[in-house]
Amino acid sequence: MLADGNPAELFEAKGEELWKSKRGPKAATLEQCNLGKGPGVVKGAFVELPRWFADTAKVQDLESRLLTCMENFQGFDAKAIANTPFGKGEQANMSALVAWISAESKGMRFNLPQAHAQEQKNYELGKRAFYYRGGSHDFSCASCHGESDKRIRMQDLPNLTGNPGDGVGFAAWPAYRLSNGQLWGMQQRLNDCFRQQRFPYPGFASDVTIALGVFMGVNAKGAESVAPALKR
Amino acid sequence: MADPMRIRAQSAGDKATIRVLMSHEMETGQRKDGAGKIIPAWHIQEVVAALNGKTVMTAQWGPSVAKNPFLQFNVRGAKAGDKVTISWTDNKGDKRTDEATVS
């Protein structure tokens, strides 16, 4: 019942409007943006990201792909957006877009492509990043997310080395966080993990965050997406 | 002007369940910003629900209600096709009214 009142819906409505409205220096919409299933196709795109894109010759997740589209179609400066703090300026619009696009794939099952060599390479890279210990507390992602039935305070931690199941872990982000009333995308979620590891922040849409996304996304194969979810 | 609300109204038997999501900052007036100054209170003060133009509920809200509040209530005697109107007023005098049809 809690999910009935998920305020992420407010962000979804804003995101849909942003997708269809003419914005940026070129005054264009994002409706021709190719999220991997052809120009303008939104439904089902989210459960197949991150994936390889031929035009940029990169593996991209939803947020980095949106940066590319906002630059190509609308004339925004992708670097400037990537350097904007979360929740400010265009980043606030980014989280709304992410909410809407992920909601369009709600209930579908994750099926990340692994056919391209770069996608396989990203998976291996993400795996290494996931198990890499460092920082002042000698943490890796696996320190918290490497075993089942671990908790921090009252929060169950999903075991991301395998498939945590439907609507948990990778399949539950982006999400609305009740504690601070913000909508977080995967990039911001990973940023918070790096913070708790006492690592320097990764850049927005940087290679390591996308590689981690590929690792978790491939592991989550077959899990049902509930994004945008509701989190404490 | 504030962002629109999301209203769902569903009838079941002799009553209808109304669910409303409102978009509002709901500042309590007790938090401080980065410079140590108090962020002024800014929250919804009054919520009015009407069925076909007739008021069926009023609520007085304060700073303890969460950001982007969710409100759910039942209205007896509401049938499919009836109009539900929700409006709120905040302490800055800002208003917002949205409408939905019971299904």
Side-chain angles (χ1 to χ4, degrees):
Chain A
M1 274 312 270
L2 190 63
D4 264 354
N6 188 350
E9 274 182 43
L10 300 167
F11 289 83
E12 287 170 28
K14 187 178 161 198
E16 183 171 9
E17 204 183 302
L18 283 167
W19 179 265
K20 291 171 181 167
S21 55
K22 292 190 171 141
R23 302 190 322 118
K26 289 189 190 167
T29 71
L30 284 170
E31 281 166 309
Q32 286 308 305
C33 179
N34 184 352
L35 296 172
K37 294 184 80 83
V41 182
V42 176
K43 216 165 195 73
F46 178 68
V47 289
E48 292 179 13
L49 288 167
R51 71 187 296 161
W52 165 262
F53 286 93
D55 56 343
T56 48
K58 264 186 189 160
V59 175
Q60 292 184 296
D61 68 351
L62 177 54
E63 279 149 301
S64 54
R65 189 62 192 168
L66 277 171
L67 280 184
T68 305
C69 281
M70 286 163 95
E71 186 164 76
N72 291 350
F73 292 107
Q74 301 183 311
F76 282 112
D77 182 0
K79 267 216 180 75
I81 297 176
N83 288 332
T84 308
F86 288 111
K88 302 238 157 53
E90 279 303 317
Q91 281 287 357
N93 293 335
M94 176 71 80
S95 54
L97 282 165
V98 164
W100 179 63
I101 293 165
S102 62
E104 285 290 290
S105 302
K106 205 172 214 165
M108 297 186 184
R109 299 197 170 270
F110 276 95
N111 186 19
L112 268 63
Q114 275 281 282
H116 197 279
Q118 279 299 324
E119 289 167 348
Q120 291 159 16
K121 202 175 157 189
N122 260 266
Y123 179 83
E124 290 305 319
L125 193 67
K127 194 192 224 166
R128 276 180 71 169
F130 190 86
Y131 286 105
Y132 183 83
R133 282 164 59 155
S136 64
H137 288 50
D138 203 26
F139 269 16
S140 69
C141 306
S143 305
C144 297
H145 293 290
E147 267 177 62
S148 302
D149 303 323
K150 272 205 171 184
R151 297 199 306 195
I152 290 181
R153 298 188 207 143
M154 286 302 284
Q155 293 287 288
D156 288 314
L157 301 174
N159 179 359
L160 298 174
T161 59
N163 188 337
D166 294 347
V168 207
F170 191 76
W173 294 93
Y176 181 86
R177 307 210 75 172
L178 273 177
S179 49
N180 53 15
Q182 294 167 349
L183 195 111
W184 280 21
M186 200 58 200
Q187 291 286 334
Q188 190 168 6
R189 180 67 196 86
L190 287 173
N191 236 45
D192 198 46
C193 270
F194 276 79
R195 177 187 67 78
Q196 293 183 69
Q197 276 176 278
R198 283 81 175 172
F199 268 8
Y201 287 129
F204 186 82
S206 64
D207 291 347
V208 67
T209 54
I210 292 163
L212 281 166
V214 173
F215 176 69
M216 291 184 288
V218 171
N219 285 347
K221 189 182 172 80
E224 187 187 329
S225 169
V226 297
L230 189 68
K231 294 278 181 183
R232 195 169 66 124
Chain B
M1 190 72 163
D3 286 337
M5 290 180 238
R6 308 277 274 178
I7 306 174
R8 283 202 195 110
Q10 208 147 31
S11 66
D14 64 337
K15 60 178 188 177
T17 305
I18 321 286
R19 289 176 297 187
V20 193
L21 257 177
M22 305 170 205
S23 174
H24 201 281
E25 279 298 319
M26 302 299 282
E27 271 300 338
T28 60
Q30 310 212 30
R31 295 198 311 149
K32 288 174 180 165
D33 63 10
K37 282 211 294 235
I38 285 175
I39 307 171
W42 179 28
H43 52 77
I44 295 174
Q45 271 187 326
E46 192 181 45
V47 183
V48 178
L51 186 73
N52 295 328
K54 184 173 155 274
T55 301
V56 289
M57 186 197 71
T58 55
Q60 255 110 48
W61 280 7
S64 60
V65 177
K67 184 175 179 175
N68 297 331
F70 172 66
L71 170 71
Q72 176 174 337
F73 58 95
N74 295 325
V75 180
R76 212 178 295 143
K79 307 174 298 295
D82 285 357
K83 264 203 167 56
V84 179
T85 316
I86 312 282
S87 28
W88 56 252
T89 314
D90 70 15
N91 66 333
K92 289 185 180 173
D94 202 3
K95 284 182 192 4
R96 172 94 212 174
T97 302
D98 285 282
E99 219 175 55
T101 314
V102 179
S103 63

